[in-house]
C-alpha cells in the first residue's frame, strides 16, 4: 500500500510539473501575441499631419464649427478613409508645418505646398494633387495694371512660399521691393490699407478670397510659374505613408470623390 501511495504521489507531482510547464508555454504564446498586437498597433499608427491655418480654400477656420476645413482637409480625410490611415491634424501655419516635418515633430504636411526642385532636396512629395500659379493683386482702382507698373512700388509676399520665390525672381527686372508677411490675411490687409502697393498670391487662393470672402482686391495678371501642390514628408522618411497617400489619391480620382471635393470649393 505504501509503495502504491508513493507511486500515486509521484504521478501527481509529474502531472503538476507538466501543468506548470503548460502554463509557462501559454505565457510565451501570450507574449508572442502581444508582439503581434504591437505590430498591429504599429500598422495602425496615428500619424501627425501639419497644415496651414489661413490659406483658404485649402485650409481655413470655419467659425460656425470652430474646425479647420478646406480642400486639403477634405483630400486628406478622403485619402485616409480609402487607405485606413489614422492621423491627427495640426493647423499651425505654413512655416510651422515645414519646421515640424523637418524636426520630426510631424510625419507629414499638407498645406498647399508647391512642389519645387529646391524643396525636393529636403522633402519627398506625393504626386501633385492640384496645380496653381501666382498672380499680381492690387486694390480696385489702383494705377498698377501690369508688371511694368510695379517699378518703385512695394509688393507683399508670404514667407517661405513659392509666391515669395517668384517675387524674388522678378523684382530686379520690374524694379519693386518685397515686404514679407506670415499669413495671407495679413498680406491682403497690407495691400487694402495701402501699406503695400500689391501682393503676389496663388491664383486659386486669392480668387476664393475675392469671390467667396469678399476681400476687396483685384487680380491684374494671368497665373505664372504654374506648378503642382504636394503632400510632403521629410526626405528619406515615412515612405509607406507617402505610398499610401499616392494610392489613395489615385483611388479618389478614379471613384469621383476628388472631383466632388474640388466642386465643393468651386473648382
Amino acid at each position: 500500500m505504501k509503495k502504491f501511495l508513493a507511486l500515486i504521489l509521484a504521478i501527481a507531482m509529474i502531472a503538476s510539473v507538466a501543468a506548470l510547464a503548460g502554463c509557462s508555454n501559454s505565457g510565451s504564446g501570450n507574449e508572442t501575441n502581444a508582439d503581434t498586437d504591437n505590430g498591429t498597433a504599429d500598422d495602425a499608427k496615428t500619424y501627425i499631419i501639419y497644415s496651414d491655418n489661413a490659406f483658404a480654400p485649402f485650409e481655413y477656420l470655419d467659425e460656425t464649427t470652430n474646425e479647420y476645413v478646406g480642400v486639403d482637409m477634405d483630400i486628406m480625410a478622403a485619402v485616409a478613409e480609402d487607405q485606413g490611415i489614422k492621423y491627427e491634424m495640426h493647423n499651425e501655419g505654413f512655416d510651422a508645418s515645414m519646421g515640424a516635418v523637418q524636426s520630426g515633430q510631424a510625419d507629414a504636411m499638407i498645406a498647399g505646398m508647391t512642389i519645387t526642385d529646391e524643396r525636393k532636396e529636403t522633402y519627398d512629395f506625393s504626386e501633385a494633387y492640384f496645380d496653381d500659379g501666382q498672380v499680381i493683386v492690387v486694390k480696385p482702382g489702383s494705377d498698377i495694371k501690369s508688371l511694368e507698373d510695379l517699378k518703385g512700388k512695394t509688393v507683399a509676399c508670404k514667407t517661405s512660399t513659392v509666391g515669395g520665390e517668384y517675387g524674388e525672381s522678378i523684382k530686379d527686372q520690374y524694379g519693386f521691393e518685397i515686404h514679407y508677411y506670415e499669413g495671407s490675411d495679413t498680406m491682403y490687409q497690407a495691400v487694402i490699407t495701402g501699406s503695400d502697393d500689391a501682393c503676389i498670391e496663388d491664383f486659386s487662393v486669392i480668387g476664393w478670397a475675392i469671390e467667396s470672402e469678399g476681400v476687396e482686391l483685384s487680380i491684374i495678371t494671368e497665373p505664372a510659374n504654374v506648378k503642382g501642390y504636394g503632400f510632403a514628408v521629410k526626405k528619406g522618411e515615412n515612405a509607406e505613408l507617402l505610398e499610401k497617400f499616392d494610392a489613395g489619391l489615385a483611388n479618389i480620382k478614379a471613384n469621383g470623390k476628388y472631383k466632388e471635393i474640388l466642386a465643393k470649393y468651386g473648382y
Side-chain angles (χ1 to χ4, degrees):
M1 178 62 72
K2 289 181 180 179
K3 290 182 180 180
F4 178 76
L5 290 174
L7 179 61
I8 294 297
L9 179 61
I11 292 171
M13 289 177 67
I14 291 171
S16 176
V17 170
L20 288 173
C23 288
S24 176
N25 288 338
S26 295
S28 298
N30 287 337
E31 287 173 12
T32 301
N33 289 338
D35 289 344
T36 301
D37 289 342
N38 287 339
T40 302
D42 288 344
D43 291 342
K45 171 185 175 179
T46 298
Y47 290 99
I48 304 301
I49 311 295
Y50 267 55
S51 187
D52 207 339
N53 53 13
F55 195 58
F58 291 88
E59 40 270 329
Y60 61 98
L61 184 65
D62 183 338
E63 295 182 357
T64 61
T65 63
N66 202 36
E67 294 181 352
Y68 283 94
V69 297
V71 176
D72 286 348
M73 302 296 97
D74 288 1
I75 286 178
M76 188 68 233
V79 166
E81 182 179 7
D82 182 83
Q83 293 292 302
I85 298 170
K86 293 173 63 179
Y87 71 98
E88 184 179 299
M89 184 65 74
H90 295 256
N91 292 83
E92 300 292 344
F94 192 77
D95 280 351
S97 296
M98 292 195 296
V101 172
Q102 280 304 296
S103 68
Q105 183 178 351
D107 297 298
M109 64 180 285
I110 182 167
M113 187 179 188
T114 303
I115 302 168
T116 67
D117 290 338
E118 182 179 2
R119 286 175 175 167
K120 284 180 180 179
E121 295 176 4
T122 309
Y123 303 91
D124 289 328
F125 286 95
S126 68
E127 293 295 322
Y129 64 84
F130 192 86
D131 291 333
D132 211 352
Q134 284 72 56
V135 290
I136 306 298
V137 183
V138 299
K139 285 196 300 185
S142 170
D143 59 356
I144 299 172
K145 307 297 182 184
S146 67
L147 285 167
E148 287 75 12
D149 296 330
L150 291 173
K151 186 173 182 179
K153 307 293 187 181
T154 59
V155 176
C157 290
K158 189 175 174 182
T159 58
S160 305
T161 63
V162 170
E165 292 174 7
Y166 174 63
E168 293 287 348
S169 73
I170 64 172
K171 70 176 185 179
D172 291 339
Q173 179 182 355
Y174 293 103
F176 61 82
E177 180 183 347
I178 294 178
H179 291 167
Y180 282 99
Y181 297 85
E182 289 295 324
S184 292
D185 51 351
T186 52
M187 181 174 70
Y188 300 159
Q189 282 303 309
V191 179
I192 291 169
T193 61
S195 298
D196 290 305
D197 301 294
C199 69
I200 298 175
E201 180 64 292
D202 288 8
F203 174 70
S204 61
V205 175
I206 189 60
W208 169 273
I210 293 169
E211 295 296 328
S212 300
E213 298 179 348
V215 174
E216 296 182 357
L217 292 171
S218 297
I219 300 168
I220 62 166
T221 60
E222 293 295 319
N225 194 39
V226 176
K227 292 183 172 66
Y229 290 170
F231 176 82
V233 299
K234 187 175 181 179
K235 193 168 185 66
E237 298 185 9
N238 285 307
E240 182 179 2
L241 176 59
L242 200 61
E243 289 173 3
K244 286 182 177 180
F245 186 90
D246 277 336
L249 180 62
N251 287 345
I252 66 172
K253 283 185 174 181
N255 65 25
K257 182 64 177 178
Y258 173 82
K259 186 176 181 180
E260 179 183 316
I261 291 170
L262 293 190
K264 177 180 174 182
Y265 297 96
Y267 298 122

